[in-house]
Amino acid sequence: MMSDIFIAIISTIGALSIFFASLGILRMPDFYLRLSVTVKASTLGVGLLLLCAAIIFPDISVTTKAIAIIFFLFITSPIAAHMIGRASYFSNTPLWKGTIIDELEGMYNKETHELESDPEKADPPRAPEEDNIADTEEETK
């Protein structure tokens, strides 16, 4: 009985997390915020639902597989999101017009495709009219 209540609570939190991830796709103004919200919330939601599956089925093979999937999901999702975000930044996907500062501007060396911590080694910053921040809402859709 107690485990049923625990499973109900955890699965509800997982389902709500996935629901909020889907809302994030609709509500966030640009690609980078959509990516951030959906990866974090959906990873948590799927992880919680897999945890519920591991608890419901007492077979060791199901539990082991669920824990392995959770482990690999928590390792690979943030890395994949980082790589997707980095590729989109370097391909000049525009930032939201409400973005205050672009901390990567002028830190990317286009010849070596590396981020530099020393601005002297990186490409010069773009002119204000060439920045990567969108001017309208339509540019970020």
Side-chain angles (χ1 to χ4, degrees):
M1 181 66 179
M2 188 66 173
S3 65
D4 291 341
I5 295 171
F6 179 71
I7 290 170
I9 291 170
I10 297 297
S11 62
T12 302
I13 293 171
L16 285 174
S17 179
I18 293 171
F19 174 71
F20 292 140
S22 64
L23 281 180
I25 292 174
L26 299 173
R27 300 284 302 159
M28 293 296 119
D30 74 343
F31 172 78
Y32 303 102
L33 292 173
R34 288 182 201 127
L35 179 69
S36 176
V37 166
T38 55
V39 168
K40 291 175 187 175
S42 63
T43 301
L44 176 66
V46 171
L48 289 174
L49 291 177
L50 284 168
L51 180 65
C52 289
I55 295 170
I56 287 174
F57 300 106
D59 187 17
I60 191 72
S61 66
V62 173
T63 304
T64 304
K65 289 175 188 176
I67 291 172
I69 293 169
I70 291 170
F71 175 73
F72 288 117
L73 183 70
F74 275 54
I75 288 179
T76 58
S77 291
I79 295 170
H82 172 77
M83 296 307 294
I84 292 168
R86 182 176 170 152
S88 64
Y89 182 81
F90 296 143
S91 65
N92 291 326
T93 302
L95 299 167
W96 174 46
K97 71 176 185 172
T99 301
I100 306 293
I101 187 170
D102 181 2
E103 293 180 354
L104 295 179
E105 186 176 355
M107 302 300 283
Y108 178 59
N109 188 329
K110 291 184 180 176
E111 291 178 14
T112 62
H113 295 287
E114 294 179 353
L115 287 172
E116 300 287 347
S117 58
D118 183 10
E120 300 298 322
K121 295 180 183 177
D123 294 338
R126 299 180 193 130
E129 60 273 356
E130 296 176 7
D131 66 2
N132 199 23
I133 298 175
D135 295 323
T136 65
E137 292 290 330
E138 293 301 316
E139 291 181 49
T140 60
K141 298 207 182 232

